[in-house]
Amino acid sequence: MHSHNDFHKALTNGCSGWLYGANGILATLFGIGERTGCTPLEAALIECAGLRNDPNGVDFTVVTEIADYFRQ
């Protein structure tokens, strides 16, 4: 699913897609990706886990590790 950021709804649209059956979402990581307006992956992971009340096996420490890698 590709959700645009019209009215700042990329995160909402991307998570809704996941919750309602999309296989995946086109996303960026820390603002780096195909282009602007895509769903921020790090935000989508946290938002979807919160909406489902289940991290679904996601290890959120990996997001921090990737951020540290980018900083270096």
Side-chain angles (χ1 to χ4, degrees), residues 1 11-25 48 51-52:
M1 166 177 190
L11 179 59
T12 303
N13 293 335
C15 288
S16 295
W18 256 348
L19 291 172
Y20 288 96
N23 291 327
I25 58 174
C48 287
L51 289 170
R52 296 178 71 183

Side-chain angles (χ1 to χ4, degrees), residues 28-43:
T28 62
L29 184 61
F30 308 121
I32 301 169
E34 181 187 337
R35 58 188 172 161
T36 60
C38 293
T39 305
L41 181 59
E42 61 278 11

